Amino acid sequence: MPADYHTHTPLCRHAEGEPEAFVDAALKAGLSEYGVSDHAPQLPEPFDDWRMLDAEMPEYFQWLERARRHANGRIPVRAGLECDWLPGCTAWIENLAGRHQWDYLIGSVHYLESTDIGAWDFDNPKWLDRWDGMDLEEIWHGYWREYAAMAESGLFDVLGHPDLVKKFGHLPDGDLDRFYEPVIDAVAASGCVIELNTAGWYKPCAECYPAPRFLELACSAGIPLVISSDSHEPAHLGRDFPQAVAMAKAAGYQETVLFEQRRRKTESLG
Ligand code: ZN
Ligand code: ZN
Ligand code: FE
Ligand code: FE
């Protein structure tokens, strides 16, 4: 099975499991590598209630150390972060990038600007009722504009869950290619890797991120791919990877990417 690079730890306050249990689960799932990418700190604190605090970064490194000790050479344990793309975040991401010998950084759009409520984490179930009466066309345009800007920033190795904006099943009418095409051009030009994130299959949208059509367009545009579970517990590591591999191949992919100290290699999908 491919590497699983998008995974969380209890430091983000909504995940569970000891490092040893994650490593055991990675071995059991037959993953080629296990990467940890917890929700990165964000200033001003507390920014929200679903990430580690800046002062907890040393604990994160200890957590990684414990995972590596337990893996003991049986599987590579990679160090990453899932960073939030926010207006004006560049200096902060560069700061985080300098804290450690990261193997990769994931960029994710979880926040959108709204004229009446300011920045809101649209994928948080806490705000589900806010979607009522919202203009989906406008939200989708705003989401993909930020996603393209995140790619163009050049700050990240991997771009997380491409169409997360569909999480609760809020889709605009008509052919979605009008949203996909400009962002695919931007991502292809940036050289960033996207992920096929299997967690979407367990959300109200009941579809992996991104949609199969997006994946097809991404492959045609030459955008490289990783497959990830976005696991918040050991049992979800590598979840649905056989289906994801089949979907990636159906979209035209023959390989996925491996990272070490922010350098890439490829691994055949077999
Ligand atoms: Zn999370
Ligand atoms: Zn995310
Ligand atoms: Fe995540
Ligand atoms: Fe996440």
Side-chain angles (χ1 to χ4, degrees), residues 6 8 39 50 82-84 106-110 123 160-161 164 195 197 230 232:
H6 188 151
H8 294 276
H39 297 288
W50 50 267
E82 181 179 15
C83 306
D84 278 82
I106 301 177
S108 291
V109 177
H110 299 115
D123 74 321
H161 35 60
L164 180 67
E195 64 173 13
N197 184 315
D230 212 337
H232 288 68

Side-chain angles (χ1 to χ4, degrees), residues 143-161:
Y143 175 81
W144 290 111
R145 208 183 307 120
E146 288 308 315
Y147 205 88
M150 173 170 78
E152 284 158 358
S153 76
L155 293 166
F156 310 104
D157 304 287
V158 179
L159 306 176
H161 35 60

Side-chain angles (χ1 to χ4, degrees), residues 22 103 146 190 251:
F22 274 94
D103 292 304
E146 288 308 315
S190 75

